[in-house]
Amino acid sequence: MSEVTRIVDQLNHAFEGNAWHGPSVKEILSDVTAGKAAARPVHGAHSVWEVALHIAAWESAVLRRLSGDAARLSDEEDWPPVKNTSIDAWQETLEALERGHRHLAEKVSTLTDSDLNKTATGQSYSVYFMLHGVIQHDLYHAGQIAILKK
Ligand code: NI
């Protein structure tokens, strides 16, 4: 198995399931309603909805960096505000998150192992480090959602 295939595998475990540590991003969000996603149970902390948008923002930034764009996110792109808290809008957030993940996984699977040693576009670190970083980022925020949704 190539290193790229192993990374795609880990990325999919973190996002979709059968992760080593416990629930993936998709699993942890599966029973969250729009109302619960929009709630702010911890004063001053992000809502589940905001965290979901933030996970999507970084999966998308990594995809852009793999496509030659440095993808420097503004504060608003980093933590996009939730403007519409309807059930349909939550469904759209979940679908966009999944779509973005699929695009990223597809893009990563087109890389070669030697691409992993290249410097990520506009960064001081390698593509390898960035890809492990986005997996870690998914799981860090999945854990955060696990607490917020209680
Ligand atoms: Ni983050």
Side-chain angles (χ1 to χ4, degrees):
M1 198 188 276
S2 72
E3 194 58 30
V4 163
T5 307
R6 290 180 205 273
I7 292 173
V8 172
D9 219 42
Q10 289 301 315
L11 184 61
N12 286 332
H13 283 309
F15 188 85
E16 287 168 6
N18 295 318
W20 178 83
H21 76 288
S24 64
V25 170
K26 198 174 155 180
E27 287 165 336
I28 207 78
L29 288 171
S30 64
D31 61 352
V32 176
T33 60
K36 198 146 202 178
R40 209 175 288 280
V42 180
H43 181 74
H46 290 288
S47 66
V48 169
W49 203 318
E50 287 168 339
V51 176
L53 291 172
H54 172 75
I55 293 171
W58 281 98
E59 288 218 342
S60 163
V62 168
L63 174 61
R64 284 165 62 193
R65 287 176 185 175
L66 292 173
S67 311
D69 171 356
R72 301 209 186 284
L73 302 189
S74 65
D75 289 349
E76 184 157 329
E77 288 168 327
D78 188 5
W79 288 99
V82 178
K83 289 176 181 144
N84 172 353
T85 57
S86 68
I87 291 170
D88 284 353
W90 177 232
Q91 201 50 46
E92 178 45 40
T93 294
L94 293 175
E95 284 167 15
L97 179 63
E98 183 150 6
R99 217 163 36 236
H101 173 77
R102 215 162 30 236
H103 288 155
L104 175 61
E106 279 165 13
K107 178 68 180 178
V108 175
S109 63
T110 67
L111 301 177
T112 63
D113 281 3
S114 63
D115 289 331
L116 297 173
N117 296 321
K118 293 180 180 162
T119 303
T121 313
Q123 314 305 315
S124 57
Y125 47 72
S126 67
V127 168
Y128 178 88
F129 185 81
M130 176 175 73
L131 295 177
H132 279 283
V134 76
I135 293 166
Q136 293 162 14
H137 190 249
D138 273 15
L139 296 179
Y140 170 81
H141 287 295
Q144 184 184 11
I145 292 168
I147 301 295
L148 287 171
K149 75 179 219 179
K150 278 190 192 299

